[in-house]
């Protein structure tokens, strides 16, 4: 474990001008005291690590030093070949570049690891699109992807309701969600606009402005997407229903309704009643949607309110009793 940590420390210092003890401790998941000991061990082993004190200080490598470490463990080599998503790379126009990179890495591997690409391909395959839909590559994707990689502004015209809107965008990142491509971009050309999310298949026109922008290095694409996705999920849940759930119903709820709504409802639930049932207040998109979703839980859920939804389930139960009773 320590050897792997020392290697990682050297590689971190090679990739940055300097790092503080706190930064290294966070990256290596150790204490700052351990970082100090590791730096001393590297120095004693001939790796030129030195520390500078003061506000601009930190740990550095003597200028120009590069490690000669080239070995990969089998798990690391196999993980490397899992990092590519062939379909997504193809749609972004990067398939040839990715293929060339994989060939170069394969050629550099030790003979004992040459089967890593095949081993990874035999054990993992990503099929991103959802079931029962034919994936389509948006016509604007290649232009957008090229602009994202090179930090170039684009002018996009897209559908919004019944109208079309044109915006100048600073394209920061692409997200592939259930077979649908999204662009996370900053609106406007001043570098201080708001970040928004756009479905690329709604673009009806795209123009590369050939004008590069200065990227905000603090922008966190996974974090931004996570916040946007949760905000969207919450925004469409405009109604509430109160239900009683059996123990099995509690387990099944996140699979029947929106997972965010289920999580919030169960987190706020009280203690089970005498029958072991838990009463929760659940946010839903509409009464009709709730009827369809909760029906899948069968007798593991009882609707308490609104009364109109409870009546629908009562009518459903009556029709089922008549149908199966007659049979």
């Amino acid at each position: 474990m320590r050897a792997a940590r020392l290697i990682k420390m050297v590689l971190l210092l090679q990739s940055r001008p300097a790092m503080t003890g706190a930064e290294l401790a966070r990256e290596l998941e150790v204490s700052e005291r351990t970082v100090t000991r590791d730096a001393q061990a590297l120095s004693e082993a001939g790796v030129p690590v030195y520390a500078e004190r003061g506000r601009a200080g930190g740990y550095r490598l003597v200028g120009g030093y590069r490690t000669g470490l080239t070995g990969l463990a089998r798990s690391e080599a196999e993980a490397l070949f899992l990092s590519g998503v062939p379909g997504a790379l193809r749609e972004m126009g990067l398939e040839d570049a990715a293929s060339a990179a994989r060939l170069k890495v394969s050629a550099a591997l030790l003979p004992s690891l040459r089967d890593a690409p095949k081993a990874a391909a035999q054990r993992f395959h990503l099929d991103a699109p959802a079931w029962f839909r034919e994936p389509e590559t948006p016509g604007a994707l290649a232009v957008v992807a090229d602009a994202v990689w090179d930090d170039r502004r684009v002018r996009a015209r897209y559908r919004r309701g019944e109208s079309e809107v044109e915006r100048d965008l600073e394209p920061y990142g692409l997200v592939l969600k259930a077979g649908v491509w999204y662009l996370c971009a900053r609106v406007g050309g001043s570098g201080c606009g708001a970040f928004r999310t756009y479905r690329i298949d709604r673009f009806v026109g795209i123009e590369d402005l050939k004008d590069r922008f200065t990227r905000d290095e603090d922008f966190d694409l996974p974090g931004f997407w996570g916040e946007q996705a949760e905000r969207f999920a919450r925004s469409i849940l405009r109604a509430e229903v109160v239900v009683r759930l059996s123990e099995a119903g509690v387990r099944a709820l996140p699979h029947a309704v929106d997972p965010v709504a289920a999580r919030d409802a169960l987190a706020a639930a009280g203690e089970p009643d005498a029958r072991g049932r838990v009463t929760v207040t659940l946010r839903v998109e509409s009464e009709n949607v709730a009827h369809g979703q909760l029906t899948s839980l069968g007798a593991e859920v009882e609707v308490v309110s609104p009364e109109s939804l409870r009546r629908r389930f009562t009518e459903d139960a009556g029709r089922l009793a008549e149908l199966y009773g007659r049979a």
Side-chain angles (χ1 to χ4, degrees):
M1 288 293 292
R2 191 188 187 200
R5 190 175 71 240
L6 292 175
I7 291 171
K8 185 176 181 180
M9 184 174 179
V10 173
L11 294 175
L12 284 169
L13 292 173
Q14 278 186 184
S15 65
R16 306 179 195 183
M19 294 183 70
T20 66
E23 289 171 338
L24 283 168
R26 185 166 57 251
E27 290 281 354
L28 299 172
E29 299 181 351
V30 296
S31 67
E32 291 188 47
R33 181 172 296 179
T34 298
V35 169
T36 300
R37 288 198 297 265
D38 285 352
Q40 184 176 352
L42 286 170
S43 181
E44 291 172 355
V47 179
V49 178
Y50 70 98
E52 289 184 342
R53 299 185 181 278
R55 291 183 60 186
Y59 290 92
R60 305 173 186 269
L61 291 173
V62 171
Y65 175 84
R66 306 293 296 178
T67 179
L69 296 170
T70 56
L72 285 174
R74 168 163 291 278
S75 60
E76 294 170 330
E78 290 173 348
L80 178 64
F81 286 94
L82 286 179
S83 62
V85 184
L89 292 170
R90 182 175 59 253
E91 292 180 4
M92 288 190 292
L94 296 173
E95 184 177 28
D96 290 343
S99 177
R102 285 193 293 268
L103 285 172
K104 290 177 181 178
V105 173
S106 295
L109 289 175
L110 294 171
S112 62
L113 299 178
R114 293 284 166 80
D115 65 335
K118 182 179 179 181
Q122 288 176 333
R123 289 164 173 79
F124 179 80
H125 174 69
L126 176 64
D127 185 8
W131 286 103
F132 311 119
R133 60 175 297 166
E134 192 68 28
E136 295 183 4
T137 303
L141 179 59
V143 175
V144 172
D146 195 39
V148 167
W149 289 116
D150 201 35
D151 295 340
R152 298 195 308 271
R153 292 186 176 88
V154 296
R155 180 166 293 149
R157 194 169 71 257
Y158 63 96
R159 296 189 304 275
R160 189 169 69 182
E162 299 298 320
S163 61
E164 292 184 4
V165 179
E166 187 174 272
R167 292 283 186 272
D168 285 356
L169 305 174
E170 294 178 351
Y172 268 67
L174 293 167
V175 175
L176 178 60
K177 170 72 171 179
V180 179
W181 284 96
Y182 295 86
L183 171 66
C184 300
R186 177 174 263 170
V187 181
S190 63
C192 59
F195 285 100
R196 303 267 175 83
T197 303
Y198 301 87
R199 274 186 62 148
I200 298 180
D201 59 6
R202 292 180 182 166
F203 285 1
V204 295
I206 189 76
E207 178 187 356
D208 187 340
L209 298 180
K210 309 296 184 183
D211 177 25
R212 301 191 70 185
F213 64 91
T214 301
R215 175 177 288 266
D216 181 352
E217 296 301 331
D218 292 331
F219 178 75
D220 174 17
L221 179 60
F224 174 77
W225 174 258
E227 291 173 1
Q228 291 287 302
E230 185 157 333
R231 187 177 297 120
F232 172 76
R234 293 179 188 279
S235 71
I236 64 174
L237 304 176
R238 302 185 180 93
E240 283 188 352
V241 299
V242 178
V243 297
R244 293 191 188 98
L245 298 164
S246 67
E247 186 176 339
V250 168
R251 292 195 300 269
L253 187 67
H255 305 288
V257 303
D258 179 83
V260 173
R263 184 187 66 206
D264 292 347
L266 294 174
E271 295 296 320
D273 61 18
R275 297 168 56 201
R277 297 212 157 203
V278 175
T279 301
V280 301
T281 300
L282 181 69
R283 291 179 297 110
V284 294
E285 188 173 344
S286 67
E287 186 174 308
N288 281 336
V289 171
H291 179 257
Q293 292 174 332
L294 295 175
T295 295
S296 68
L297 297 180
E300 308 305 329
V301 63
E302 176 192 356
V303 174
V304 178
S305 67
E307 184 59 33
S308 55
L309 183 59
R310 183 178 174 87
R311 279 198 304 271
R312 291 178 67 173
F313 274 88
T314 301
E315 292 166 2
D316 290 346
R319 287 197 298 270
L320 288 170
E322 181 182 356
L323 175 65
Y324 288 99
R326 186 171 61 245

